[in-house]
């Protein structure tokens, strides 16, 4: 009898261990399936990516529009994840002494966490803020005081109803923004979207730069899309640009022939 009793106990132990192991294996799979069903590709990514796992675990702390941007385009994942750690950076933002005292307008970028998560209209500066950042660079280049930043430029644009296609800002009536920022200005328009001739004279840009001005270019085409950037200097090879969306493009010297077909606007900006 004792042998049968011992065998029964052993069988029970084996059964209990087997059930425990099975549950141990099945429950995480079921939980993962629930996560994937609820969070889609983000949930699937969370299986192997600690950052995605963090987002899933703190899902309610992330704005819906930012999550939707990631679901629409994977390239926004880094900005989605880092929102939790940088969403309040603007509250303590400051320009560096090097930026304020640079001989040429400093290179600033839309994805800089100091202002990336601030809004321009209904969008984020890191997506729609090329002109707000371009104008900030221009302001520092002209005045060197740091009184303007991308969020303040966005607020001016909203105050004057200047929201539109150029990095969140409309080109129509943009002079209101220039005036509010204390800049003298001149505008050269090339209606290339309607088949009008493109800018064919590099001296239009060079003359502004030679007279201590900053050039903001409104671009439209295959290389830059609908975009705003600065031309800050030139040499024998071509033009030096500050592209608020791309450090790589900012490092390149651009010939006039490369830029000209996509130039819609040349805005000359000067200190009063």
């Amino acid at each position: 009898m004792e042998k049968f009793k011992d065998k029964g106990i052993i069988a029970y132990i084996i059964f209990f261990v087997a059930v425990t192991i099975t549950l141990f294996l099945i429950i995480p799979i079921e939980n993962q399936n629930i996560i994937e069903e609820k969070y889609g590709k983000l949930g699937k990514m969370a299986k192997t990516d600690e950052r995605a796992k963090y987002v899933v675990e703190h899902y309610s702390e992330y704005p819906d529009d930012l999550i939707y941007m990631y679901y629409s385009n994977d390239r926004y994942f880094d900005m989605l994840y880092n929102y939790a750690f940088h969403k309040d950076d603007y509250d303590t933002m400051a320009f560096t002494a090097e930026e304020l005292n640079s001989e040429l307008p400093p290179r600033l970028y839309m994805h800089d966490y100091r202002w990336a998560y601030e809004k321009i209209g209904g969008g984020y500066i890191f997506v729609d803020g090329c002109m707000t950042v371009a104008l900030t660079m221009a302001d520092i280049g002209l005045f060197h005081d740091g009184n303007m930043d991308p969020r303040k430029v966005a607020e001016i644009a909203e105050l004057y109803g200047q929201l539109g296609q150029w990095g969140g800002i409309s080109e129509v009536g943009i002079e209101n923004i220039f005036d509010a920022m204390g800049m003298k200005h001149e505008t050269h328009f090339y209606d290339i979207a309607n088949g009008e001739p493109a800018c064919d004279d590099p001296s239009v840009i060079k003359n502004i730069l030679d007279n201590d001005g900053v050039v903001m270019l409104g671009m439209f085409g295959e290389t830059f899309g609908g975009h705003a950037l600065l031309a800050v200097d030139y040499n024998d090879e071509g033009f030096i640009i500050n592209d608020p969306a791309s450090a790589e493009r900012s490092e390149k010297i651009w010939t006039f022939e490369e830029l000209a077909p996509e130039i819609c606007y040349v805005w000359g900006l000067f200190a009063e």
Side-chain angles (χ1 to χ4, degrees):
M1 277 306 278
E2 289 296 327
K3 290 182 179 180
F4 289 113
K5 184 177 180 181
D6 291 342
K7 288 182 179 179
I9 293 173
I10 292 171
Y12 175 78
I13 292 172
I14 292 173
F15 174 77
F16 178 79
V17 171
V19 170
T20 301
I21 292 174
T22 301
L23 290 174
F24 180 79
L25 294 174
I26 291 176
I27 290 175
I29 293 173
E30 289 182 346
N31 286 342
Q32 183 60 46
N33 289 338
I34 292 171
I35 289 174
E36 287 188 28
E37 183 177 344
K38 182 176 181 180
Y39 300 107
K41 66 178 181 179
L42 186 61
K44 186 174 183 179
M45 186 179 176
K47 293 169 61 176
T48 57
D49 191 304
E50 288 297 318
R51 299 178 305 160
K53 182 179 179 181
Y54 180 92
V55 176
V56 167
E57 291 174 347
H58 299 82
Y59 196 82
S60 63
E61 300 172 22
Y62 285 85
D64 290 341
D65 56 354
L66 198 54
I67 291 171
Y68 177 77
M69 286 172 59
Y70 161 68
Y71 283 132
S72 300
N73 194 321
D74 289 347
R75 71 187 179 95
Y76 292 123
F77 176 74
D78 285 343
M79 296 305 294
L80 170 65
Y81 168 72
N82 282 298
Y83 175 85
F85 311 103
H86 296 285
K87 61 185 176 66
D88 297 320
D89 281 14
Y90 181 79
D91 295 342
T92 56
M93 75 135 289
F95 295 108
T96 67
E98 182 179 4
E99 288 168 342
L100 291 176
N101 298 313
S102 59
E103 182 178 353
L104 298 177
R107 286 177 179 166
L108 305 176
Y109 298 100
M110 296 151 59
H111 59 264
D112 190 314
Y113 292 128
R114 287 178 289 182
W115 45 73
Y117 298 110
E118 300 303 306
K119 291 294 191 79
I120 171 70
Y124 291 95
I125 284 177
F126 77 85
V127 177
D128 296 323
C130 63
M131 187 171 282
T132 64
V133 176
L135 283 171
T136 299
M137 292 189 284
D139 186 83
I140 294 175
L142 294 173
F143 302 109
H144 302 281
D145 55 19
N147 288 337
M148 286 290 165
D149 61 56
R151 173 171 157 173
K152 290 178 180 176
V153 176
E155 289 172 346
I156 292 173
E158 292 179 13
L159 178 65
Y160 285 95
Q162 293 296 141
L163 301 180
Q165 71 179 90
W166 293 99
I169 293 178
S170 171
E171 76 278 16
V172 178
I174 194 173
E175 290 80 9
N176 292 325
I177 299 177
F178 301 154
D179 291 339
M181 295 178 69
M183 297 175 176
K184 291 182 179 178
H185 47 84
E186 61 182 62
T187 299
H188 305 267
F189 174 52
Y190 307 92
D191 195 6
I192 59 174
N194 289 317
E196 295 296 322
C199 179
D200 61 359
D201 185 0
S203 66
V204 172
I205 299 173
K206 291 179 178 180
N207 288 342
I208 295 169
L209 296 174
D210 290 342
N211 285 282
D212 299 321
V214 174
V215 175
M216 184 167 68
L217 300 175
M219 311 294 287
F220 184 78
E222 293 184 4
T223 302
F224 295 97
H227 193 43
L229 53 86
L230 298 188
V232 298
D233 203 357
Y234 65 92
N235 55 33
D236 292 340
E237 298 178 44
F239 288 92
I240 299 168
I241 70 169
N242 287 6
D243 185 337
S246 173
E248 181 180 0
R249 289 201 294 253
S250 298
E251 292 293 335
K252 175 184 173 180
I253 303 296
W254 294 80
T255 66
F256 180 73
E257 288 71 26
E258 290 175 311
L259 294 174
E262 298 190 20
I263 296 175
C264 290
Y265 286 91
V266 176
W267 289 291
L269 305 174
F270 307 87
E272 287 191 333

